[in-house]
Amino acid sequence: MAKIPGADFMLYLMTGIFLFLVHNKAVMSVMGAEGPQSPMMQHAPMNTAITISASALSCLYLQSLTIVVMLFVYHVGFAPVHFEEPLRVAAMLVVAWFSGCAVGLLFLGLKPWMPGLAGMLSQIYTRANMFTSGKMFVANSLPGWMIAMFDWNPLFHVIDQSRGFAFINYTPRHTSVSYPLYVSLALIVIGMLGEFYTRRYASLSWNARR
């Protein structure tokens, strides 16, 4: 496991694991939001935008609170926590959450039509993130042929960029902040198109025959 020279090893792990968890939790939270065929949607003010937003924001709140508590415990009980650019590290946390919401919205649009396939693809994606997210290694230490195996993943870019903001002696060379943002925006557009289309043709009988 390659790590950043001179950096706190636990903070090096945290910058990867925290963002990995936030991203995957956001995927599953948004995907698990109430869809247009839910009985809850029969109540006039309720719509899928509210349920999706509530699931996404509750995930961000719970994960942020957990991270703050764990960093506080580590700071008080073990070693001082120092991030070179804490605001930008926090921004990368939000980008990890945002990209997870985008992927979850894509699966949410697919779920009413093919629930089995959507569930299987979400499991494959979240488990593939165990090694394609780069949470346990440093992108700068990888050879070029290995970079091509991971740089498709927005989370890989987010984690590497967060380490560049967290540690003064690390400068990301193979990743960017713009890539996960552009990919997330594209996925949100596709997911919203799928969700709007599903809402037009939603039927309570979908659940009955499953």
Side-chain angles (χ1 to χ4, degrees):
M1 180 193 304
K3 69 184 186 71
I4 301 169
D8 186 316
F9 182 67
M10 287 303 299
L11 290 183
Y12 158 76
L13 291 179
M14 289 178 185
T15 52
I17 293 173
F18 286 163
L19 270 62
F20 164 80
L21 290 175
V22 168
H23 181 86
N24 278 1
K25 291 288 186 181
V27 171
M28 301 311 295
S29 294
V30 172
M31 183 183 173
E34 296 285 348
Q37 75 276 22
S38 170
M40 184 65 71
M41 296 301 116
Q42 305 306 311
H43 299 276
M46 181 60 70
N47 56 58
T48 52
I50 295 175
T51 60
I52 293 170
S53 300
S55 297
L57 292 175
S58 65
C59 172
L60 179 62
Y61 170 74
L62 290 174
Q63 295 304 310
S64 299
L65 182 62
T66 301
I67 290 171
V68 169
V69 170
M70 292 185 68
L71 287 176
F72 176 77
V73 171
Y74 182 75
H75 179 80
V76 172
F78 298 94
V81 172
H82 173 73
F83 293 132
E84 190 64 26
E85 298 183 68
L87 292 180
R88 293 189 177 183
V89 173
M92 290 298 98
L93 177 70
V94 174
V95 174
W97 165 79
F98 180 68
S99 60
C101 292
V103 175
L105 186 60
L106 188 66
F107 290 138
L108 180 65
L110 179 65
K111 186 170 68 170
W113 302 97
M114 292 177 282
L117 179 62
M120 181 180 68
L121 290 177
S122 66
Q123 290 294 324
I124 291 174
Y125 176 77
T126 53
R127 291 179 182 179
N129 272 335
M130 288 290 294
F131 59 92
T132 61
S133 64
K135 66 186 177 73
M136 301 303 289
F137 53 82
V138 180
N140 285 359
S141 66
L142 298 178
W145 65 271
M146 288 190 70
I147 292 291
M149 297 171 57
F150 303 113
D151 65 356
W152 61 268
N153 191 341
L155 187 57
F156 176 76
H157 291 255
V158 174
I159 290 176
D160 193 53
Q161 288 294 316
S162 72
R163 286 171 173 159
F165 297 135
F167 305 112
I168 193 171
N169 54 346
Y170 182 70
T171 302
R173 297 196 302 268
H174 305 291
T175 59
S176 69
V177 176
S178 59
Y179 175 79
L181 290 174
Y182 291 149
V183 170
S184 299
L185 291 173
L187 291 178
I188 282 181
V189 170
I190 297 172
M192 289 178 66
L193 289 173
E195 200 279 326
F196 291 157
Y197 182 82
T198 301
R199 192 189 308 173
R200 290 181 59 189
Y201 296 97
S203 171
L204 293 178
S205 63
W206 287 355
N207 288 334
R209 60 190 176 90
R210 293 188 176 92

